[in-house]
Amino acid sequence: MLSSLANKVSESLSAVIEGTADVVATARDIAKETVITTVKGAGDVATGTMDVIADVVSGGAAAASKSAKSTTDGVKGVVEGAIDAAKEVGADTGGAIQHAAHGAIKGVYDVGGDLGEAGVGTVEGTITAASKIGTDVTEATTKAVVGVIKAADEIGSEAGGVVRKALLSTAALPREIIQAAIGKADKEG
């Protein structure tokens, strides 16, 4: 089940996603603003920031999956926005990537959406965010892949297989990095 914050994000994004031409930008902007506002409102950046990120991405991913628009694009946008927000509020971007990955898979799973698209969108959003905020793209991509694989494997081996296959079959993703990260996830798993 989605948390209260995740439900609010899902409702907000659902209300605007159908009428927008640019799903990625809309999802990114809503996720970023929600993370920043929620974290700053709490007063202590360290307290709960990773939970906020996971909840915002989970709600955004659920909304994207339920819409008639692309799950991949919606997830890409919310993940990118959440990671960008984490950097802006001074949170650990590596932790943010891992929590965003888990939130994306959980949100899409909760509404019966395509976990493969969620995995691909998470990695694409991470790559874009990492490039934008100046963090190591290979390291960020690895964290995202490991995160989505672990989250999918928590659901079950079939879900993990769907995500692995989608990541490996998406031409836009750096195949060598994806393969190495899947190997790392399988070792850790």
Side-chain angles (χ1 to χ4, degrees), residues 141-142 145 149 164 167-168 173-186:
T141 302
T142 299
V145 171
I149 299 266
R164 283 172 178 83
L167 292 172
L168 288 169
L173 297 177
R175 188 167 182 81
E176 302 79 34
I177 296 170
I178 300 299
Q179 287 174 321
I182 288 173
K184 180 177 180 179
D186 290 344

Side-chain angles (χ1 to χ4, degrees), residues 5 8 13 23 26 44 47 53 61 70-72 85 89 101 109-110 112 117 121 137 154 156 160 175 179 182:
L5 177 58
K8 287 178 186 173
L13 192 55
V23 175
T26 300
D44 180 4
T47 304
I53 289 167
S70 165
T71 298
T72 302
V89 299
Y109 175 73
D110 283 350
E117 286 188 40
V137 175
E154 286 175 14
R175 188 167 182 81
Q179 287 174 321
I182 288 173

Side-chain angles (χ1 to χ4, degrees), residues 76-157:
K76 176 181 179 177
V78 295
V79 167
E80 181 185 343
I83 295 168
D84 193 19
K87 174 75 171 182
E88 190 167 315
V89 299
D92 170 51
T93 54
I97 291 165
Q98 292 168 329
H99 281 78
H102 190 270
I105 295 296
K106 181 185 180 315
V108 170
Y109 175 73
D110 283 350
V111 296
D114 187 320
L115 296 177
E117 286 188 40
V120 170
T122 298
V123 175
E124 288 179 348
T126 299
I127 291 169
T128 302
S131 297
K132 180 179 175 187
I133 65 173
T135 195
D136 183 278
V137 175
T138 299
E139 183 179 322
T141 302
T142 299
K143 287 180 190 246
V145 171
V146 170
V148 294
I149 299 266
K150 284 184 176 182
D153 283 347
E154 286 175 14
I155 294 166
S157 61

